[in-house]
Amino acid sequence: MNSLKKGILFTTLFASLVFVGCSNDDDSVDLIGNWIKKSSFDGPARSSATSFVIGTYAFVTTGYTGDEYLKDLWAYNSTGDYWEQKADFIGAARSSASGFELNEKGYVGLGYDGTNKLKDFYQYDPTSNTWTQKADFAGTARYSAVGFQVGGKAYFGTGYDGNYLKDFYQYNPTTNSWSLANGFSGNKRRNATVFVIDDKAYFGTGVNSGVYQVDFWMFDPATDVWTRKRDIDQDTTDDYTYNDDYVIVRSNASSFSMNGLGYVACGESSKSIWEYNPSTDIWLERTPLEGSARTDATGFSINQRGFVMLGRTGTSYFDDSWEFKPLEAQNDDDN
């Protein structure tokens, strides 16, 4: 073979190796973050549970096993990595309820009991380990709504009551009453998700009549104003830090926030996780969940630590728990 042909062959082989190497990097090496398996949930495997966090404990209740609606309550001790069973939820067993923490007490309401859409509402006191029924939610009975507390104010909103919804209501614990919150100009939806950063709520995803919702919003409780952020299906940057080749849009996702960043994980039998930076309004993909892909999982943060657990894929229900370490490199040997 003459030198010219040898040069052409070498160049072709080198280019092919570079292309393959870059492709592999895009698929794995470039994704940062590590998942650590934690103590398995002590209760029955389930999906569509609800949760709230008080201090160093996360409380998980209700949900569906595929055969049974549930009302048991479990507390996760994040410092000791173990579970403790607490007093059962006193409402009807249900799935797809909503919850939040307010003034160091947990609140749970709404949901679906297999027959009825619900609007009852309850408070949990971790000091006495007791539940108390509170004023019914002021909106329509519904399930797959979001619940959150931000800036000392607590809200339920969106969901499904036979129609897709976009209303939000605020709960006042002093008067034990609900009031309609300022209008939300985003789309109707169910199975959305929300996380809180620096006393602002960030809300998005979900589905309306089979269509995934791409609008993404920030809510400021100090002004009661919703501000639309960049849609989550758009690539509008020139440096490829945001890339719509990866799908952020979804429903039934889990979310949490830590260290000034928000995270949306799983949903619709996915295991991908995306990190949101509110200062740039940009999303970055991180290492996907190392457990099974899942939908209807539960996500929360405890003292700047993020967790995803439970959920299902098809008729398989999970009881595993995972902690996400966003600054660590992925490690196959630590679980």
Side-chain angles (χ1 to χ4, degrees):
M1 183 181 294
N2 63 38
S3 59
L4 176 60
K5 288 182 179 180
K6 288 181 180 179
I8 293 172
L9 178 59
F10 176 80
T11 301
T12 302
L13 288 172
F14 180 77
S16 298
L17 288 171
V18 169
F19 177 78
V20 171
C22 289
S23 177
N24 288 339
D25 285 349
D26 288 344
D27 290 342
S28 58
V29 176
D30 287 345
L31 299 184
I32 301 301
N34 192 37
W35 293 89
I36 305 296
K37 195 169 186 178
K38 309 303 289 185
S39 175
S40 295
F41 182 65
D42 280 11
R46 69 192 67 193
S47 68
S48 303
T50 192
S51 66
F52 51 86
V53 173
I54 301 174
T56 59
Y57 286 82
F59 295 83
V60 177
T61 187
T62 66
Y64 183 61
T65 66
D67 296 307
E68 181 183 4
Y69 291 90
L70 301 167
K71 58 190 301 181
D72 50 340
L73 173 67
W74 296 85
Y76 175 63
N77 184 315
S78 63
T79 57
D81 188 31
Y82 62 87
W83 293 88
E84 303 171 4
Q85 188 165 14
K86 300 296 184 178
D88 283 359
F89 175 65
I90 61 174
R94 66 193 66 195
S95 70
S96 302
S98 303
F100 52 73
E101 175 276 336
L102 182 63
N103 300 329
E104 298 188 348
K105 293 181 173 61
Y107 293 85
V108 172
L110 314 181
Y112 179 70
D113 67 4
T115 302
N116 303 300
K117 304 173 187 70
L118 305 169
K119 62 185 299 183
D120 50 342
F121 182 62
Y122 301 85
Q123 178 198 79
Y124 176 72
D125 185 339
T127 302
S128 61
N129 188 31
T130 57
W131 290 92
T132 304
Q133 186 165 5
K134 295 295 184 177
D136 282 359
F137 175 63
T140 55
R142 66 188 68 190
Y143 61 90
S144 299
V146 295
F148 61 96
Q149 183 263 115
V150 58
K153 299 178 181 179
Y155 302 85
F156 280 162
T158 66
Y160 185 76
D161 68 354
N163 294 299
Y164 294 85
L165 302 165
K166 58 181 288 187
D167 52 346
F168 281 85
Y169 289 80
Q170 181 185 345
Y171 178 67
N172 185 327
T174 302
T175 61
N176 184 31
S177 62
W178 293 89
S179 59
L180 186 64
N182 274 7
F184 167 63
S185 57
N187 297 332
K188 299 176 181 178
R189 73 197 70 202
R190 59 186 276 190
N191 299 118
T193 195
V194 63
F195 53 82
V196 174
I197 301 173
D198 295 332
D199 287 335
K200 294 180 176 62
Y202 294 84
F203 168 83
T205 70
V207 65
N208 181 341
S209 300
V211 178
Y212 291 123
Q213 299 303 294
V214 302
D215 52 333
F216 185 66
W217 297 82
M218 180 190 75
F219 175 67
D220 186 345
T223 58
D224 287 335
V225 171
W226 291 90
T227 301
R228 188 165 184 168
K229 311 300 285 184
R230 179 180 295 131
D231 287 359
I232 57 174
D233 68 340
Q234 296 179 357
D235 181 358
T236 60
T237 66
D238 296 326
D239 58 5
Y240 302 102
T241 55
Y242 185 97
N243 189 330
D244 65 355
D245 288 342
Y246 301 99
V247 177
I248 302 174
V249 293
R250 63 194 69 193
S251 69
N252 301 291
S254 304
S255 65
F256 54 86
S257 63
M258 54 179 171
N259 302 315
L261 301 169
Y263 296 86
V264 171
C266 303
E268 300 305 310
S269 298
S270 168
K271 58 167 61 182
S272 68
I273 180 169
W274 284 81
E275 176 187 275
Y276 178 72
N277 187 329
S279 64
T280 60
D281 195 21
I282 294 293
W283 295 83
L284 291 176
E285 189 181 29
R286 296 304 190 192
T287 302
L289 177 70
E290 293 178 41
S292 299
R294 65 196 64 201
T295 189
D296 296 322
T298 300
F300 50 77
S301 58
I302 307 174
N303 292 338
Q304 309 303 324
R305 298 169 62 193
F307 298 84
V308 172
M309 59 187 61
L310 311 179
R312 66 178 176 86
T313 293
T315 58
S316 297
Y317 289 77
F318 303 117
D319 61 5
D320 53 345
S321 303
W322 297 86
E323 181 177 357
F324 183 59
K325 303 280 192 177
L327 301 180
E328 294 182 4
Q330 194 271 335
N331 184 349
D332 288 328
D333 300 322
D334 57 3
N335 291 309

